[in-house]
Amino acid sequence: MSGRISQQLARVPAPALFLLGGGSQYVGAAMAVALFQTLNPAGVAWLRMLGAAVVLVLWRRPPLAAWRGRRLLLAGTFGVVTGLMNAAFYEAIDRLPLGTAVAIEFCGPVAVAAFASRTARDWAALVLAGLGVALIADVQWAGSAGGVLWALGAATAWAGYILLAKRVAQGGNGMDDLAVGFTVGAVLLVPLALDSGPVWGSPRLLLLGVGVGVLSSVLPYVLDQVVLRRIGRARFAVLLALLPVTAALVGLVALGQVPGWAELAGILAVVAAVALRSRDEDPPPEDADAGAAEGTGKAG
């Protein structure tokens, strides 16, 4: 990432970056719906990771040092956990109502924030965020036991993603390591692609897969890495509550889905949580390209 772009991103508030990433993620999700008609959920998740890996490797061209030793191990673990998170969530929403799956999955980031919290303000923000997510999701305890287990698996992987993404970001080579991680994840998780045969004979489906990878993985996770260089895990986990807010806004604008009173109350609760937690000033932003050698800025 160029120094100029990094400086511009450093001036953008973290919630605004999350809204941008969340909007991209939900546009990608809309594209993924078309692929669900041809592939199973796990296959779509793998194709999403493959598309992201190809785009990032061609863009970043990670040096040989990124493919060796502890750096490779960390990046590869991050990539595998991210791929499993996406696959588990896709499997969950194939079996449960979307609101139920989202609510269960948010147990992951909320747990991270709870363990990392130290003040009454942290806990108040978490309570507000949790209440807001529950109201927005309009949780309906319906569906199958398998769907609940898949959603819990996605929640666990999401918690792991937050912890690993922070370490990747702190390494100072986030985008290169993201490219390596997604490549390793796409290779190790290739069994998820056993049902992807029809894609290889259809340029349209391949293009959709790349598009899902860019919109749902590349842009949101790049912005995650930028934000994670500036804030701690607890505040990052609370900010993740902006994702259902973004989904509600996208649904209103793109699909004409008018939120009910409960959803509006949830949006206000989440916004209040973010505002409350954001009253603590961030540490001075690090230059996203700082670090050894080239450095990077490069976190559903």
Side-chain angles (χ1 to χ4, degrees), residues 11 15 27 41 56 73 100 153 157 166 170 178 187 189 194 201 230 254 279:
R11 291 193 289 267
V27 171
L56 282 170
L73 180 62
T100 300
K166 182 67 175 179
Q170 289 175 330
L178 190 68
V187 172
L189 298 178
L194 294 179
R230 297 161 53 186
R279 289 183 58 189

Side-chain angles (χ1 to χ4, degrees), residues 1-299:
M1 187 180 299
S2 70
R4 183 177 180 181
I5 294 176
S6 299
Q7 291 174 2
Q8 291 173 344
L9 287 177
R11 291 193 289 267
V12 179
L17 291 177
F18 267 80
L19 287 174
L20 177 60
S24 175
Q25 196 166 25
Y26 283 105
V27 171
M31 295 176 63
V33 171
L35 290 172
F36 272 118
Q37 300 174 6
T38 306
L39 303 175
N40 61 31
V44 175
W46 180 83
L47 191 61
R48 165 182 169 175
M49 173 156 282
L50 178 66
V54 170
V55 170
L56 282 170
V57 168
L58 291 177
W59 172 33
R60 297 300 305 177
R61 298 182 182 179
L64 289 177
W67 302 92
R68 296 197 296 257
R70 293 173 60 87
R71 188 171 165 187
L72 173 62
L73 180 62
L74 176 60
T77 303
F78 170 79
V80 170
V81 169
T82 302
L84 292 175
M85 174 183 70
N86 296 331
F89 182 68
Y90 283 178
E91 292 286 356
I93 64 176
D94 193 44
R95 295 167 171 81
L96 292 175
L98 180 59
T100 300
V102 168
I104 295 173
E105 191 189 27
F106 258 88
C107 294
V110 169
V112 171
F115 281 113
S117 294
R118 293 292 182 272
T119 68
R121 181 183 298 172
D122 292 331
W123 288 106
L126 283 171
V127 170
L128 281 171
L131 175 62
V133 169
L135 289 170
I136 293 170
D138 189 24
V139 178
Q140 300 176 15
W141 292 104
S144 67
V148 173
L149 290 176
W150 279 115
L152 288 172
T156 302
W158 198 355
Y161 163 80
I162 295 172
L163 300 175
L164 289 167
K166 182 67 175 179
R167 293 190 61 185
V168 170
Q170 289 175 330
N173 300 284
M175 282 189 290
D176 288 346
D177 291 343
L178 190 68
V180 172
F182 280 5
T183 301
V184 172
V187 172
L188 295 182
L189 298 178
V190 73
L192 299 179
L194 294 179
D195 191 40
S196 64
V199 170
W200 307 113
S202 172
R204 173 180 170 273
L205 292 178
L206 278 174
L207 184 60
L208 277 174
V210 173
V212 170
V214 171
L215 293 173
S216 293
S217 292
V218 176
L219 182 55
Y221 296 164
V222 164
L223 291 176
D224 278 358
Q225 287 292 313
V226 172
V227 174
L228 280 164
R229 296 286 297 276
R230 297 161 53 186
I231 65 177
R233 289 195 303 266
R235 186 175 170 198
F236 176 73
V238 172
L239 284 176
L240 284 171
L242 284 173
L243 292 179
V245 176
T246 304
L249 293 175
V250 170
L252 175 63
V253 174
L255 303 175
Q257 297 173 342
V258 180
W261 288 110
E263 291 170 304
L264 287 174
I267 291 173
L268 291 176
V270 171
V271 170
V274 174
L276 180 63
R277 189 61 185 85
S278 298
R279 289 183 58 189
D280 293 329
E281 294 184 359
D282 285 336
E286 301 177 32
D287 184 79
D289 291 314
E294 177 185 355
T296 64
K298 196 240 173 280

